[in-house]
Amino acid sequence: MKIVVAVKQVPERDAVVRVAADGRSVDESDLAWTMNEPDAYALEEALQLKERAGDGEVVVLCAGPERVQSTLREALAKGADRAVHVVTPEDGDNALMCRDTLDVARLLADAVKGESPDLVLTGLQSDDLGAGQTGVVMAELLGVPHATLVLHVELAGAGIKVKRELEDGWMQHVEMPLPALLTIQSGGNRLRYATLMGIKKARQKEMREAPAAAAAKRVDEVLKVSPPTRVKQTEMLTGSADEIAAKLVEKLRFEVKVL
Amino acid sequence: MSSNVLVVLETKGAGWHRMSFEALAAAQKLSNELGMSCSAVVLGEGAAIAPLAAELATKKLNGVWAVGDSLLAEYTADGWVAALQQLIVETKPKFVVLPHTYQVRDFAPALATRMGEVLIGDVTAIEVADAQSGPFFVRQWMQGKLNAEYRHRSEGGVCFLSVQAGSFRADAVAPGSAEVKTFAPKLDAAKIRTKPGEPFREAAQTVDLSTAAVIVSVGRGIGEQDNLKLVEDLASALGAELAASRPICDAGWLPMERQVGSSGQTVAPKLYLAVGISGAIQHLVGMKGAKTVVAINKDADAPIFEVADIGVVGDLFEVVPAITKAIRG
Ligand SMILES: Cc1cc2nc3c(=O)[nH]c(=O)nc-3n(C[C@H](O)[C@H](O)[C@H](O)COP(=O)(O)OP(=O)(O)OC[C@H]3O[C@@H](n4cnc5c(N)ncnc54)[C@H](O)[C@@H]3O)c2cc1C
Ligand SMILES: Nc1ncnc2c1ncn2[C@@H]1O[C@H](COP(=O)(O)O)[C@@H](O)[C@H]1O
């Protein structure tokens, strides 16, 4: 079974984000980067599927500038066999940030076509743009069936049976033929760490660079990005830890009345 | 019956998904401010949706579409995309509004793609500056740390948008009367590629957080499993139930049944004390009903402070033990 996993590189979760000078994007100059969290679960599910089947190949795929290779390397260190890097320029009209979801999905789908995998996995949502769409758009572009919010995948006859999350704690099984695309929700597995051996091996693994097509005209447009204006009046408690604690306990006792 | 705004409502069991009427309120607002007509659509098996369509006929709408077919008896992305695409081609709306539910996440991006469009998803606000330049839509970036304003710009194309839970008020839906029309899509069973199973629940829940009066909830700021002792101590000093954000349960540090949020429990305690939780929307929807929210976070810009009544900007490893000590006297 050949599986392609799309992993996105996103800013570290605790990153302090600033609006760029153009007022329409994020200032990337001081950011530290990491693998998008659900994508790490997608990679884990792919590695486990391969391990259970006893053979197969896991190819990781990312579109972005040079920096994303660190995330692809991390995936290789965890056990992916190969990486494909769709290289977009650092800035200008063809940069990743200037493309809409349809265009990014097109870049990824084109790279997938060249691989003809049995299964494509993506994360369900990116932590930076939070579109939650790229996987489903890719499925449509590739003409394959899909399921979203998937926690677990098993082979069933010639196809697959997946467990997906519904709202309010409900689950559902869905069956479909292969090839197919699944968007993976976090939490289905425990994530593995890269071992020293894995990190060493990763240096020898193939990282293919593919040029990105020129950006298509955007369907939507980002006009402005800004920090949200706070509407709620939050009473901030300040002082040393002990002073804060004393103030809070007083409030909990006399205002909130839970003590 | 050509309408400029079409709102897609979602059913659940024999009734409505709770977000359907929030989407309807958003669509009414959009059509009002743009001076456009507004129609609603409900999909399903014909007899099952008839009473729901009849209920919609009592709302301020220019029409209600009942899209019925036996192949729509249960939800599939393929069925929904095909049926809605046909209705959209036939009725030519300029805007299609949907609730940002799990089901919408599953099919709407494919529907938009099939029509050469992009869904503007998880919208928290709709602003109409002037009818000329068209509306813009606010959605969150970086898990709520930034707001981004989007505009649709493909001339003549359909603008698809889905609205975030809790962003529009279901009770703002205006009453009125509308005519119900049926629409029979041409569906082919062979083109529905997925076979959905019955919804089920995993283990029975043994903790019911929904009735807890005091909740101490912990997020990834706690760093390591071994540090959980800090919040357990605080919870026991307060006589509180312990809850968590999703990553804590994903990692197996606390059982799933203690997760609060859109894919966990919905709680409404007297006090919700959030420790090291950033305040992503999927978490907030589960705890916004709390009477008093206290947030402890080292990041002054964390979105959790948007809903907090009392805030502490600081290191939880200093503040939490101090609070436990102060309660214990
Ligand atoms: C479809 C879907 C469903 C989801 N369902 C849920 C759900 O039901 N429940 C849920 O919670 N999430 C859910 N999520 C995930 C959600 O989007 C967030 O990723 C998650 O809530 C983040 O958890 P967190 O706040 O604990 O972690 P983070 O976002 O990593 O936040 C950690 C916070 O801790 C603070 N911090 C770090 N160190 C310290 C310190 N020493 N002292 C004080 N503060 C510190 C940081 O400033 C940061 O704000 C869902 C996501 C999707 C896409
Ligand atoms: N530039 C990218 N490179 C690789 N994968 C991506 C990229 N953008 C999005 N994805 C995948 O699509 C998923 C959903 O992203 P989004 O639609 O932005 O929320 C992510 O979890 C990734 O798996």
Side-chain angles (χ1 to χ4, degrees):
Chain A
M1 169 118 111
K2 181 167 173 181
I3 309 171
V4 171
V5 188
V7 295
K8 187 178 186 185
Q9 191 183 52
V10 296
E12 284 274 11
R13 201 171 295 277
D14 281 5
V16 180
V17 286
R18 284 189 211 84
V19 178
D22 68 1
R24 291 159 51 172
S25 57
V26 172
D27 179 358
E28 297 193 352
S29 50
D30 287 332
L31 290 178
W33 301 87
T34 186
M35 188 186 301
N36 188 47
E37 183 162 59
D39 306 6
Y41 283 93
L43 173 62
E44 183 60 44
E45 186 65 28
L47 294 173
Q48 292 197 16
L49 269 168
K50 181 187 151 180
E51 285 158 7
R52 264 183 274 141
D55 75 321
E57 190 182 25
V58 175
V59 181
V60 282
L61 166 66
C62 183
E66 241 10 80
R67 60 167 157 79
V68 306
Q69 291 201 357
S70 63
T71 292
L72 286 171
R73 280 276 169 237
E74 183 190 335
L76 293 174
K78 285 186 170 184
D81 299 292
R82 252 178 336 109
V84 177
H85 175 199
V86 178
V87 187
T88 57
E90 209 66 55
D91 40 35
D93 293 346
N94 290 317
L96 194 68
M97 281 302 271
C98 294
R99 297 170 186 255
D100 63 23
T101 310
L102 182 57
D103 200 40
V104 173
R106 230 180 246 138
L107 287 182
L108 298 170
D110 285 345
V112 168
K113 277 181 200 151
E115 297 282 345
S116 334
D118 303 296
L119 191 60
V120 182
L121 303 185
T122 73
L124 86 157
Q125 184 162 320
S126 59
D127 280 349
D128 52 355
L129 295 183
Q133 297 183 43
T134 307
V136 179
V137 175
M138 283 170 72
E140 178 65 23
L141 295 175
L142 292 166
V144 301
H146 74 269
T148 51
L149 293 136
V150 171
L151 287 163
H152 186 67
V153 188
E154 60 188 273
L155 299 177
I160 48 171
K161 181 176 172 184
V162 306
K163 184 171 96 180
R164 66 183 293 259
E165 196 171 280
L166 301 175
E167 283 156 4
D168 303 322
W170 291 83
M171 303 282 167
Q172 176 187 41
H173 286 119
V174 179
E175 290 180 46
M176 72 195 77
L178 292 172
L181 183 144
L182 307 171
T183 83
I184 305 292
Q185 167 68 299
S186 64
N189 295 302
R190 297 283 162 269
L191 297 178
R192 70 188 66 191
Y193 292 97
T195 59
L196 265 163
M197 187 56 143
I199 295 168
K200 235 170 105 184
K201 274 195 186 155
R203 294 198 201 110
Q204 262 74 61
K205 289 180 178 168
E206 178 188 316
M207 168 104 62
R208 184 163 61 81
E209 294 186 16
K217 187 165 172 266
R218 277 191 82 116
V219 175
D220 60 18
E221 174 184 30
V222 180
L223 299 170
K224 187 179 150 204
V225 178
S226 53
T229 41
R230 197 161 286 164
V231 276
K232 179 112 184 181
Q233 286 294 323
T234 306
E235 186 177 351
M236 289 294 179
L237 306 182
T238 54
S240 70
D242 287 331
E243 285 161 5
I244 288 170
K247 287 180 197 167
L248 182 61
V249 168
E250 165 120 352
K251 289 195 174 294
L252 296 185
R253 197 159 280 147
F254 300 108
E255 290 173 28
V256 191
K257 300 197 171 80
V258 290
L259 282 176
Chain B
M1 183 170 83
S2 168
S3 272
N4 295 316
V5 178
L6 179 70
V7 52
V8 182
L9 302 193
E10 188 168 319
T11 63
K12 189 171 184 185
W16 296 108
H17 187 288
R18 61 179 185 276
M19 279 170 64
S20 281
F21 283 76
E22 297 179 13
L24 179 52
Q28 283 184 337
K29 172 187 152 89
L30 183 65
S31 58
N32 257 344
E33 294 186 9
L34 293 172
M36 288 183 169
S37 58
C38 183
S39 296
V41 51
V42 55
L43 297 87
E45 192 275 315
I49 57 172
L52 297 172
E55 185 184 342
L56 290 179
T58 66
K59 309 298 172 197
K60 183 166 180 263
L61 285 167
N62 300 86
V64 176
W65 288 108
V67 178
D69 194 292
S70 59
L71 289 174
L72 300 174
E74 53 186 357
Y75 165 77
T76 59
D78 286 334
W80 255 240
V81 170
L84 282 169
Q85 186 191 14
Q86 290 169 31
L87 181 71
I88 290 167
V89 167
E90 173 94 12
T91 64
K92 300 183 183 63
K94 292 194 170 60
F95 296 90
V96 174
V97 182
L98 308 112
H100 193 70
T101 59
Y102 283 18
Q103 183 168 303
V104 164
R105 283 168 168 276
D106 194 62
F107 78 83
L111 173 64
T113 304
R114 202 164 288 187
M115 307 199 70
E117 297 290 336
V118 174
L119 169 74
I120 303 178
D122 219 2
V123 164
T124 57
I126 299 174
E127 306 285 347
V128 180
D130 58 286
Q132 291 306 310
S133 57
F136 65 84
F137 307 102
V138 182
R139 51 184 310 279
Q140 296 177 323
W141 277 9
M142 309 298 302
Q143 306 229 344
K145 285 187 202 162
L146 293 174
N147 277 341
E149 294 173 9
Y150 278 69
R151 187 166 63 191
H152 178 257
R153 52 177 256 180
S154 87
E155 289 91 30
V158 191
C159 172
F160 289 88
L161 65 132
S162 63
V163 297
Q164 185 170 86
S167 293
F168 295 87
R169 295 181 59 115
D171 59 12
V173 168
S177 79
E179 185 192 351
V180 177
K181 284 201 177 185
T182 55
F183 180 83
K186 290 187 188 59
L187 300 177
D188 175 359
K191 292 209 168 122
I192 294 178
R193 297 165 294 182
T194 56
K195 219 166 81 208
E198 281 298 310
F200 63 93
R201 264 184 193 277
E202 252 145 2
Q205 300 211 323
T206 53
V207 233
D208 181 10
L209 297 177
S210 68
T211 55
V214 183
I215 292 177
V216 170
S217 194
V218 58
R220 191 172 356 221
I222 198 71
E224 285 171 36
Q225 183 167 22
D226 288 348
N227 298 336
L228 282 179
K229 175 102 185 33
L230 282 184
V231 279
E232 282 164 4
D233 286 349
L234 175 58
S236 95
L238 271 169
E241 283 286 356
L242 191 59
S245 65
R246 179 160 189 136
I248 301 298
C249 302
D250 280 352
W253 296 355
L254 283 175
M256 253 291 285
E257 56 191 11
R258 297 210 173 257
Q259 180 179 315
V260 167
S262 70
S263 49
Q265 299 213 34
T266 302
V267 299
K270 236 170 122 175
L271 170 67
Y272 190 86
L273 207 158
V275 181
I277 292 177
S278 63
I281 178 64
Q282 295 86 5
H283 187 80
L284 299 187
V285 293
M287 45 68 75
K288 276 199 302 206
K291 196 145 175 285
T292 301
V293 176
V294 178
I296 302 170
N297 197 302
K298 67 171 187 192
D299 177 6
D301 294 325
I304 189 76
F305 290 119
E306 309 271 324
V307 299
D309 301 281
I310 301 171
V312 176
V313 177
D315 184 352
L316 71 91
F317 295 103
E318 291 169 17
V319 178
V320 170
I323 298 169
T324 309
K325 199 175 84 194
I327 294 169
R328 290 200 168 131

